[in-house]
Amino acid sequence: MTLPHTGRALADAAPVPYWLDRPVRPDPLPPLSGSHTADLLVVGGGYAGLWTALLATEADPDRDVLLVDAGTCGWAASGRNGGFCAASLTHGLANGVERFPGEIGELERLGRENLDAIAATVAKYDIDCDLERTGELAVAVEPYQLDGLAADAELARRYGHDVRLLDRDEVRAEVASPTYLGGMWDADRVALLDPAKLAWGLRRAALDLGVRVHEHTRVTGLARDGTALRATTAGGTDAAPGAVRARQVVLATNAFPPLLRRLRSWLVPVYDYALMTEPLTAAQRDAIGWRHRQGLADTGNQFHYYRLTADNRILFGGYDAIYHYGNRVSPALEQRAATFTALASHFFATFPQLDGLRFSHRWGGVIDTCTRFCAFFGTAYEGRLAYAAGFTGLGVGATRFGARVTLDLLSGTETPLTRLDLVRSKPLPFPPEPARSVGINLTRWSLARADARDGRRNLWLRTLDRLGLGFDS
Ligand SMILES: Cc1cc2nc3c(=O)[nH]c(=O)nc-3n(C[C@H](O)[C@H](O)[C@H](O)COP(=O)(O)OP(=O)(O)OC[C@H]3O[C@@H](n4cnc5c(N)ncnc54)[C@H](O)[C@@H]3O)c2cc1C
């Protein structure tokens, strides 16, 4: 149902990501031109690429690392996400148990270690990204979701997570929404942060350690060049084409058209959308409680995620996950009026006491969905190139782990990480078009229908479940 005031609330929302629309955004670094050499070329300056460059240089300060980004570091998913930095490396514990039953305990341990290492890096380099270890509160908004929460809590406890189940009154005492029927609070395994400030802070730390960074520099092709690889680049409008001869390359290009043909069958770019409100007044803050400032998520297939910012705005995102025929990626797809109207309407259904609050920003961004919902890894060109992709909407934390894996893969020696089934196995591929679009759209329709029918999954979803195939954001 579209409430009448959603139009008013959205009327002045700027069509740009809130996080990137602030004066603290750093000036762009010059594009690359001419011929260069490097020990390690990192393609992509989102979290995955930035962590790769930083960790490589920390491990070996003499390693000559060059990073290029087609835009500016953090302009894409890394600078426009919800800022939920989760310990999970597998897009949630249940997905990890399902797909990696033999090593999920180890993956959970590594994920926790990864989250702690992110917090330690933020402290070490004095990265001002408003990191708050408030955890996440999953809420049931339909009666059938209560059983799901209880099952999730039991599973989480089996793996040693300190979670608390909240009944209707307890969850509403935490956050005052008339839609909440129960909740599960995991106070320990999710941090909230300012996503763009994290990306900019990692960029600064990498630069300070001597990483060379060129922005507005797109790699257009890769080829063998003796015992090395040669990347050709196209710069911004006033930069001449360039080239980098690198001993090793890491691809960290997320959902963008991959430079390695084989990645096309494993990845689909999916658009996810978010709204940001103006800052809440003290009275509005009082009206919703939310004193522990947890990240919130409801538990349908089409779920919302929402959180407070440092200056007490509310980011409200999720619900729709939109795929465009032929893996299309374009700035034009970052705006979607129907989704913004739906999100605004769901926001006021969740918090009717905030009637009159306006949204200051509306935006979308692209995520790299794969059929197993968590990253996969590999090498090419006789081990000279490594990649990590497929983070599927939960990459704020997991990209650091992905960076460690790509560096281990390039080392050419077996390590505890490269031995993991998570690292050695690949997701099932998506079919080519037009079957790809038909399958994804049928899945989206079925998921929405399941949400409307007390979670009951139709034959199509049950078949996908049996095959270990899926579509998620
Ligand atoms: C709206 C939204 C909300 C999200 N919310 C969350 C959340 O709350 N928690 C969470 O864990 N995850 C979330 N995610 C997902 C998370 O943001 C991503 O998983 C993560 O940022 C991926 O980082 P990345 O470095 O792989 O990709 P990106 O940040 O997309 O970086 C890839 C970079 O590669 C560059 N590139 C691509 N091709 C080339 C080329 N040929 N040459 C040079 N450069 C190239 C691009 O310019 C880009 O900067 C969200 C995503 C979106 C869009």
Side-chain angles (χ1 to χ4, degrees):
M1 180 185 60
T2 304
L3 304 176
H5 52 257
T6 56
R8 266 197 323 277
L10 282 166
D12 301 323
V16 286
Y18 162 75
W19 307 111
L20 298 173
D21 187 27
R22 291 175 297 167
V24 284
R25 188 174 185 164
D27 290 336
L29 293 158
L32 180 131
S33 58
S35 290
H36 299 260
T37 59
D39 292 329
L40 174 66
L41 170 67
V42 180
V43 186
Y47 301 137
L50 291 164
W51 279 115
T52 304
L54 187 66
L55 291 171
T57 315
E58 280 183 338
D60 177 3
D62 293 331
R63 196 166 180 175
D64 177 23
V65 180
L66 194 156
L67 180 149
V68 295
D69 194 280
T72 52
C73 292
W75 77 271
S78 299
R80 60 182 68 206
N81 60 68
F84 286 59
C85 186
S88 176
L89 303 174
T90 56
H91 208 270
L93 177 58
N95 189 47
V97 169
E98 177 82 27
R99 295 180 190 277
F100 309 103
E103 64 184 30
I104 183 63
E106 174 67 354
L107 295 175
E108 288 290 288
R109 190 192 63 73
L110 287 166
R112 176 59 206 248
E113 183 184 289
N114 187 57
L115 178 58
D116 290 343
I118 291 172
T121 307
V122 163
K124 176 176 168 190
Y125 293 105
D126 204 10
I127 296 175
D128 166 24
C129 66
D130 300 325
L131 189 139
E132 300 179 77
R133 294 195 76 159
T134 53
E136 181 172 335
L137 177 59
V139 294
V141 293
E142 297 287 344
Y144 78 89
Q145 294 170 358
L146 289 167
D147 287 346
L149 279 187
D152 285 350
E154 197 193 314
L155 185 65
R157 287 185 186 129
R158 225 182 296 150
Y159 286 89
H161 302 187
D162 181 17
V163 297
R164 241 184 88 198
L165 268 183
L166 307 180
D167 66 20
R168 196 184 107 127
D169 291 344
E170 288 169 329
V171 74
R172 292 184 189 188
E174 281 298 323
V175 184
S177 169
T179 62
Y180 296 172
L181 304 175
M184 183 185 84
W185 185 8
D186 182 341
D188 205 30
R189 299 179 66 86
V190 175
L192 293 181
L193 50 77
D194 180 318
K197 284 191 185 172
L198 174 65
W200 298 331
L202 292 173
R203 171 188 183 265
R204 180 181 48 77
L207 285 167
D208 287 348
L209 292 188
V211 174
R212 289 176 289 152
V213 179
H214 291 279
E215 298 185 315
H216 294 297
T217 302
R218 178 182 303 284
V219 173
T220 51
L222 283 171
R224 282 188 187 78
D225 185 357
T227 57
L229 293 177
R230 187 178 172 79
T232 44
T233 67
T237 41
D238 52 353
V244 182
R245 186 173 192 273
R247 205 165 54 75
Q248 296 182 315
V249 174
V250 166
L251 285 189
T253 54
N254 194 24
F256 295 92
L259 290 156
L260 212 55
R261 179 172 278 275
R262 73 186 72 159
L263 295 183
R264 288 182 205 167
S265 64
W266 287 317
L267 287 175
V268 294
V270 170
Y271 278 85
D272 185 20
Y273 297 91
L275 298 175
M276 186 68 90
T277 70
E278 58 193 1
L280 272 60
T281 62
Q284 286 166 331
R285 278 289 279 116
D286 285 346
I288 54 170
W290 210 345
R291 292 292 152 214
H292 292 110
R293 304 179 58 84
Q294 310 94 328
L296 284 164
D298 47 39
T299 47
N301 290 304
Q302 289 188 290
F303 65 95
H304 306 89
Y305 52 85
Y306 40 118
R307 55 155 302 175
L308 291 163
T309 62
D311 63 348
N312 289 323
R313 298 163 183 268
I314 299 175
L315 177 148
F316 195 81
Y319 191 69
D320 275 339
I322 306 293
Y323 169 74
H324 294 275
Y325 187 93
N327 279 17
R328 202 149 74 86
V329 175
S330 154
L333 305 177
E334 292 169 10
Q335 292 294 312
R336 192 166 191 271
T339 298
F340 297 135
T341 304
L343 282 174
S345 145
H346 301 167
F347 176 86
F348 288 113
T350 306
F351 295 126
Q353 63 273 52
L354 297 183
D355 187 19
L357 187 67
R358 287 169 172 265
F359 296 102
S360 63
H361 293 77
R362 54 182 157 93
W363 71 93
V366 69
I367 63 178
D368 53 346
T369 291
C370 69
T371 57
R372 71 183 198 185
F373 314 145
C374 60
F376 59 91
F377 311 89
T379 60
Y381 295 105
E382 296 86 36
R384 293 191 182 95
L385 177 147
Y387 58 82
F391 294 96
T392 316
L394 203 69
V396 173
T399 41
R400 180 186 174 280
F401 175 81
R404 282 186 63 204
V405 171
T406 52
L407 292 172
D408 275 16
L409 288 171
L410 287 181
S411 77
T413 49
E414 213 180 63
T415 72
L417 298 192
T418 64
R419 273 196 290 273
L420 292 168
D421 189 29
L422 170 78
V423 173
R424 298 166 79 96
S425 61
K426 296 285 189 296
L428 288 168
F430 288 98
E433 294 289 13
R436 182 173 287 203
S437 293
V438 172
I440 290 173
N441 288 328
L442 179 57
T443 308
R444 275 192 58 215
W445 177 81
S446 303
L447 290 170
R449 210 166 122 85
D451 283 342
R453 297 169 66 221
D454 292 341
R456 285 197 301 280
R457 294 169 86 78
N458 64 15
L459 183 63
W460 173 251
L461 292 179
R462 292 200 307 273
T463 306
L464 293 183
D465 291 343
R466 269 198 303 278
L467 295 173
L469 268 163
F471 174 72
D472 206 343
S473 60

